[in-house]
Structure formats: structure tokens, C-alpha cells
Amino acid sequence: MAPTSEILTAERILEATEDVLRRHGPAKATVVDVARALGVSHGSVYRHFRTKAALREAVTKRWLDRTSGELSGVAAADRDPETRLRDWLATLFAAKRRKAGDDPELFATYTVLTGENGTVVGEHIADLTAQLTRIVEAGVRSGIFAATTDPGATARAVFHATARFHDPLYAREWEEPGTEADFEAVLDLVVRGLRP
């Protein structure tokens, strides 16, 4: 094993894990493969992540957090709530399409990993619906959206109504002809339904 001159960090381990997962897939990727890619012992990896499951959970969270981070900027933007909602949903759809289309092997791997990490996925969905809730609340405050006693329930309904355009179960449909028009039609319907 070649000595490494870089300090071993959790981030470096997660980057290497992603590369190993891309090459070997989730069924065959091991902590030893990750350590070998980093030029360290597998014990060094275990000092940062106590188990293989913890490592897989962390790499899944990192992958999901990329989307959450991109969307949080849209949700917090200083624009009217309807524009923010449209931009947020379009950004979510574009991010998911990009992940599925640009690196299908890694996307398939993460589909497996998200199935293993229900807590991480639940936290991700809670973060996304919290972002949507803030947009809905801003829309209600400004009078652009109808008053609601439960903005969180409204946000969850919007999230579920648009699932075809962000749930990985539908990834095969995202590049089909007419999908963009379908997305715009659903988006228009959702926005009209939120207006007073």
C-alpha cells in the first residue's frame, strides 16, 4: 500500500467511496476497496466511519445533501413566492434528471443505497418539504397563495403531486418525449391550485 501524503479526512473517504461505488456497484464495493483507493489501511477508514453501513449512510447523505443545498438557495431567494416555487420545482427536476442522465451507474447505486438508508432519506424529504413550507408560508403572507391552516401539509401535497418529476422510481420516464410539457402542465395546475 502506497503511503499517502494527504491527511485522511471524512470528505476524502466519501469521495473515494463514491468512486469505488461507481466502479464496483453497491453489492461488491468494500471498505477494503475504499482504503486501497486512498492508499491507507481499512482500519484508517474505520476510524472515521465505525462500520460499512455508517460509511454507506454518510455517502448517501452527502449525495442527497447536494440537491438540498442547491434547492435551499432557490427557496431563500428574494423573489416572489410563485416564482420561487416554480424555480424550486424546476431545479429539483433538473437536478434529478442530471443525476440520472449524467451518471446512470452512480444513480442506480444511490437508488440501492437510499433504499438501505431510510432515516437519511426521511431527513432529506423533511428538509425538502421544510423548504417548500417556507415558500408556501411566504406566498400566504403576501396573498399570492390562499390562506391555509397548515402550510406544511400544503407543502407535502405539492411535493407528492410532483413526485413523477423527482422520485427516482420515475427516472426512466424523465427523458421521454413530452415529459417537459407534462412537468409544465403539472406545475401550472399546482400553482393555480395554490392561488386564492
Side-chain angles (χ1 to χ4, degrees):
M1 194 168 305
T4 181
S5 60
E6 291 183 61
I7 295 173
L8 186 63
T9 64
E11 185 62 24
R12 279 192 61 224
I13 294 169
L14 293 175
E15 288 170 6
T17 302
E18 194 168 275
D19 289 339
V20 167
L21 286 166
R22 184 181 286 111
R23 274 185 275 131
H24 301 291
K28 294 183 180 176
T30 67
V31 174
V32 171
D33 294 327
V34 173
R36 190 175 300 121
L38 291 164
V40 300
S41 71
H42 66 280
S44 297
V45 174
Y46 282 125
R47 279 193 277 287
H48 289 271
F49 299 97
R50 296 184 59 115
T51 65
K52 178 180 176 181
L55 177 58
R56 289 166 73 105
E57 181 178 307
V59 79
T60 303
K61 182 177 181 338
R62 179 177 178 259
W63 187 69
L64 293 171
D65 285 351
R66 288 181 192 139
T67 301
S68 295
E70 187 176 349
L71 291 167
S72 68
V74 176
D78 188 20
R79 294 191 305 268
D80 74 271
E82 182 178 318
T83 300
R84 275 192 286 164
L85 178 65
R86 287 178 177 277
D87 289 351
W88 193 92
L89 290 168
T91 300
L92 176 60
F93 185 30
K96 295 291 182 142
R97 283 174 91 176
R98 200 170 41 251
K99 284 181 177 186
D102 291 354
D103 199 344
E105 295 83 12
L106 195 57
F107 187 79
T109 293
Y110 277 111
T111 300
V112 170
L113 293 180
T114 57
E116 294 174 359
N117 293 290
T119 302
V120 170
V121 173
E123 290 168 359
H124 174 68
I125 291 171
D127 179 45
L128 297 183
T129 55
Q131 291 180 29
L132 274 174
T133 299
R134 289 190 294 277
I135 295 170
V136 169
E137 289 169 340
V140 169
R141 277 193 311 274
S142 67
I144 292 172
F145 298 153
T148 176
T149 57
D150 190 349
T154 300
R156 285 188 301 279
V158 167
F159 190 75
H160 293 304
T162 58
R164 177 176 172 229
F165 307 102
H166 56 79
D167 188 319
L169 293 174
Y170 297 96
R172 288 188 178 151
E173 298 177 17
W174 294 341
E175 297 304 323
E176 290 180 3
T179 300
E180 197 66 44
D182 291 347
F183 172 71
E184 291 299 328
V186 169
L187 189 53
D188 287 343
L189 182 66
V190 165
V191 169
R192 278 196 312 273
L194 290 171
R195 289 181 184 143

